[in-house]
Amino acid sequence: EKDKVIARMKRIEGQVRAITRMVEDETYCIDVLTQIAASDKALKAVAIELLDSHLDHCVRSAINEGGTQADDKVHEASAAIARLVRS
């Protein structure tokens, strides 16, 4: 999964560089905004994938162990979800 996430992030990095070139080249504003929206959507997709992995591995493991660590991991995941929803 790590390699897959890294590959996606590199593609997004390329998208962002292309947006910078578009601005430098004075590309039509709506076209730049469209590319910004696409990059934002791609970043959110990576964030959701990472969150899903975190829930599946880290949170599940902490819950199986129990105790305060489980509560901490659930609260941590909840806060991450709240940040994603607000963005």
Side-chain angles (χ1 to χ4, degrees), residues 28-46:
Y28 185 58
C29 296
I30 297 302
D31 294 338
V32 175
L33 291 170
T34 299
Q35 291 306 310
I36 290 171
S39 296
D40 183 53
K41 184 177 177 182
L43 276 172
K44 286 180 181 176
V46 172

Side-chain angles (χ1 to χ4, degrees), residues 36-61:
I36 290 171
S39 296
D40 183 53
K41 184 177 177 182
L43 276 172
K44 286 180 181 176
V46 172
I48 289 169
E49 184 177 323
L50 289 171
L51 179 61
D52 185 53
S53 178
H54 179 70
L55 290 170
D56 193 41
H57 297 104
C58 301
V59 175
R60 184 188 309 259
S61 177

Side-chain angles (χ1 to χ4, degrees), residues 55-76:
L55 290 170
D56 193 41
H57 297 104
C58 301
V59 175
R60 184 188 309 259
S61 177
I63 288 171
N64 288 338
E65 290 177 21
T68 59
Q69 183 180 7
D71 292 337
D72 292 344
K73 289 292 181 186
V74 169
H75 292 302
E76 180 182 66

Side-chain angles (χ1 to χ4, degrees), residues 8-37:
R8 289 177 76 181
M9 291 302 299
K10 287 183 180 187
R11 278 194 301 275
I12 294 166
E13 182 181 4
Q15 281 182 298
V16 172
R17 275 198 225 105
I19 293 167
T20 300
R21 282 192 303 276
M22 291 173 77
V23 172
E24 291 170 345
D25 295 343
E26 297 183 11
T27 302
Y28 185 58
C29 296
I30 297 302
D31 294 338
V32 175
L33 291 170
T34 299
Q35 291 306 310
I36 290 171

